[in-house]
Amino acid sequence: MSSALRSAVQQSRRTAFAQSARFASTSAKAPTLKERLADLIPAEIENVKATRAAHGKKSFGPVLVDQLYGGMRGLPALIWDGSVLDAEEGIRFRGKTIPECQEALPKAPGGSEPLPEGLFWLLVTGEVPTQEQVNALSKDWAARSAIPSFVEEILDRCPPTLHPMSQFSLAVTALNHDSAFAKAYAQGISKKDYWQPTYEDAMDLIAKLPNIAGRIFRNVYGGGKLPAIEADKDYSYNLAKLLGFADKPEFVELLRLYITIHSDHEGGNVSAHTGKLVGSALSDPFLAFGASLNGLAGPLHGLANQEVLIWLRKMQSKLGENPTDDDVREYVWSTLKAGQVVPGYGHAVLRKTDPRYMAQREFAQKHLPNDPMFKLVSQVYNVVPKVLLEAGKAKNPWPNVDAHSGVLLTHYGLDQMNFYTVLFGVSRAFGVAAQLIWDRALGAPIERPKSYSTAAINQMFKDKQ
């Protein structure tokens, strides 16, 4: 998309949301998220119609054969409203950078990191919620958090050797049993109202994930009976409690940051696109997000933070706790010469240090500056980009989000690496759920891109230079 077209579309969307925000501000009582969404949908439907009327026949540019063979990298093919990833700037959630979100979004009492509830509100509405609205969302999710007894039984019957992500996917898919959307669709609901049961399912999905994640964690790693959700606490606190970490306020703060920055990363990554794709068939949010989790479980998507931690531990074991920069540099070179990649460095889109990495680095500098593994991460940050540039191994030699998260979790005692992708999955539900709601509100059609065989491509260009 050209910069001019991108700016025009973003400005149009911001204007539509701003006009709705001014209208809502006249209300004496702050609207709920669903009420606010109902106000926004008509204006956004008209905004999409106007955008298509003005730009619908315009081209993004040529599609290269290499893009078809190369994982569709850079191929503009999706609408994703919650976030846009710029190669030089990083992610923006509804136009806001991560530092802007950290500044603007409501916090927990005594906390300094944004509450994920506020980020979800932002993803859905494009607006920064009030503290009152965020508190109401926390209470709503707590009230929806119980999982059916048969889902509890499914998880309890899973062998502890079954990967936590497989268990996570099973449980989320099984929640389809009580899907409001599936029930409404079977009863013949009007298309214009699809968004309402989708919203209810999306809210139930997010609300129930801590109980699912907590049960998996305790079944696999021990920890006794699962405690109850506290109705007056925020989402991250309750997740920390179910994992057994509520007595560590810094860990709770870390979860608030972690969920916020992992929630969404535009629509082209495997988990986000899978959720949108499956949802386009009018599969309910539980089925759609269950599919997302199966994509997230793949080693090229959700397992990178584990690979980083393993690599760092091997380095620390070989070099000791206080290696010199030259020692680190030599180790990095040995990794490359062995035909391996340096995990946590490079990104399919970004061409600068991932802002999500920087947010975690700043958290570490504030809360754990003397942690030996954090010191090693800092050394790697200073050494690796220069080595990768010298080696010509990466278009982007800078660290991504995975280069830091495992070290933070380990510092507070969450060292069960196979569980890390479950936390990623809890976070990613926010972005996928927000987009599923808007896809149904805007009447998004089923996805059906065109495919070609290698033989067809050769035939197509046989007589062309």
Side-chain angles (χ1 to χ4, degrees):
M1 182 187 294
S2 70
S3 59
L5 178 55
R6 184 187 296 111
S7 298
V9 172
Q10 290 177 341
Q11 181 59 43
S12 174
R13 185 165 286 138
R14 282 195 295 267
T15 299
F17 278 126
Q19 289 172 342
S20 297
R22 287 195 295 271
F23 174 80
S25 66
T26 62
S27 174
K29 183 179 181 296
T32 65
L33 179 56
K34 192 172 186 179
E35 290 168 345
R36 191 71 197 102
L37 186 57
D39 287 341
L40 291 169
I41 286 172
E44 186 62 7
I45 289 174
E46 294 306 313
N47 182 43
V48 171
K49 287 180 180 178
T51 300
R52 295 189 67 175
H55 308 296
K57 305 303 180 184
K58 297 175 183 177
S59 173
F60 280 96
V63 175
L64 303 179
V65 172
D66 271 348
Q67 288 179 292
L68 275 66
Y69 284 102
M72 298 188 288
R73 293 288 176 89
L75 187 68
L78 299 170
I79 295 296
W80 193 269
D81 294 299
S83 62
V84 175
L85 178 60
D86 183 87
E88 300 299 329
E89 189 176 60
I91 196 68
R92 280 182 177 266
F93 301 120
R94 289 289 190 175
K96 293 188 179 297
T97 65
I98 287 175
E100 288 170 345
C101 288
Q102 289 177 291
E103 177 67 26
L105 293 176
K107 319 291 190 297
S112 59
E113 298 297 343
L115 288 169
E117 290 91 327
L119 191 280
F120 184 67
W121 189 292
L122 176 67
L123 291 176
V124 172
T125 68
E127 302 166 357
V128 174
T130 65
Q131 190 73 52
E132 177 188 0
Q133 289 169 325
V134 162
N135 292 345
L137 195 52
S138 296
K139 288 182 171 61
D140 191 359
W141 284 347
R144 296 170 180 258
S145 64
I147 59 177
S149 58
F150 81 91
V151 176
E152 294 179 342
E153 184 177 353
I154 288 173
L155 292 174
D156 291 346
R157 290 176 66 86
C158 286
T161 52
L162 183 64
H163 196 284
M165 282 298 288
S166 300
Q167 298 187 44
F168 200 16
S169 174
L170 277 172
V172 168
T173 301
L175 292 176
N176 153 266
H177 181 272
D178 297 326
S179 166
F181 179 84
K183 183 182 297 184
Y185 186 83
Q187 294 173 348
I189 187 175
S190 171
K191 289 183 178 180
K192 67 179 177 60
D193 295 323
Y194 280 176
W195 73 270
Q196 296 193 50
T198 300
Y199 172 89
E200 296 300 332
D201 281 353
M203 292 286 281
D204 283 345
L205 169 67
I206 293 173
K208 296 177 189 305
L209 295 183
N211 263 322
I212 294 174
R215 199 172 197 91
I216 292 170
F217 186 82
R218 289 173 184 260
N219 283 350
V220 174
Y221 304 111
K225 184 179 178 181
L226 196 68
I229 291 279
E230 294 187 37
D232 61 342
K233 296 292 187 180
D234 66 272
Y235 189 84
S236 302
Y237 174 89
N238 277 316
L239 177 57
K241 179 182 179 180
L242 297 178
L243 298 178
F245 292 88
D247 60 339
K248 298 181 178 181
E250 286 184 8
F251 180 83
V252 176
E253 276 285 271
L254 173 60
L255 272 189
R256 291 166 182 148
L257 173 65
Y258 181 99
I259 295 173
T260 296
I261 65 176
H262 285 81
S263 63
D264 205 29
H265 215 231
E266 71 172 31
N269 64 76
V270 169
S271 55
H273 184 198
T274 301
K276 182 179 176 70
L277 171 64
V278 175
S280 79
L282 297 187
S283 299
D284 63 67
F286 304 112
L287 296 179
F289 190 63
S292 293
L293 291 174
N294 289 332
L296 188 64
L300 293 184
H301 188 17
L303 301 188
N305 58 359
Q306 298 178 42
E307 294 175 350
V308 170
L309 196 55
I310 291 170
W311 183 74
L312 288 171
R313 285 177 172 174
K314 287 181 178 178
M315 184 193 302
Q316 190 178 57
S317 177
K318 182 174 182 178
L319 304 182
E321 287 199 352
N322 295 295
T324 66
D325 285 354
D326 286 339
D327 291 335
V328 172
R329 186 177 297 106
E330 183 177 342
Y331 190 87
V332 173
W333 271 113
S334 70
T335 298
L336 296 175
K337 289 175 181 178
Q340 301 169 354
V341 299
V342 177
Y345 280 75
H347 191 274
V349 178
L350 279 169
R351 294 297 175 262
K352 62 169 284 185
T353 298
D354 192 333
R356 300 172 300 172
Y357 173 93
M358 293 307 300
Q360 293 177 103
R361 177 172 172 79
E362 290 165 5
F363 183 95
Q365 288 171 326
K366 178 180 179 180
H367 295 289
L368 47 134
N370 297 316
D371 180 272
M373 193 64 81
F374 169 59
K375 289 182 177 180
L376 182 58
V377 166
S378 296
Q379 272 188 289
V380 170
Y381 177 52
N382 291 327
V383 170
V384 166
K386 297 174 184 176
V387 173
L388 292 179
L389 285 172
E390 185 179 344
K393 291 289 186 180
K395 293 179 180 178
N396 169 27
W398 310 108
N400 59 50
V401 66
D402 299 308
H404 219 308
S405 55
V407 170
L408 293 175
L409 295 170
T410 299
H411 174 81
Y412 292 105
L414 185 59
D415 56 5
Q416 296 85 352
M417 289 190 290
N418 276 349
F419 192 78
Y420 289 176
T421 316
V422 174
L423 290 181
F424 196 164
V426 172
S427 310
R428 187 48 55 90
F430 285 57
V432 173
Q435 188 60 42
L436 288 173
I437 294 167
W438 273 108
D439 280 351
R440 302 292 76 79
L442 298 174
I446 189 170
E447 284 191 25
R448 181 56 172 90
K450 182 73 178 82
S451 63
Y452 291 92
S453 66
T454 296
I457 289 173
N458 285 321
Q459 180 66 28
M460 188 184 309
F461 295 106
K462 181 175 62 174
D463 298 322
K464 298 179 183 179
Q465 296 296 322

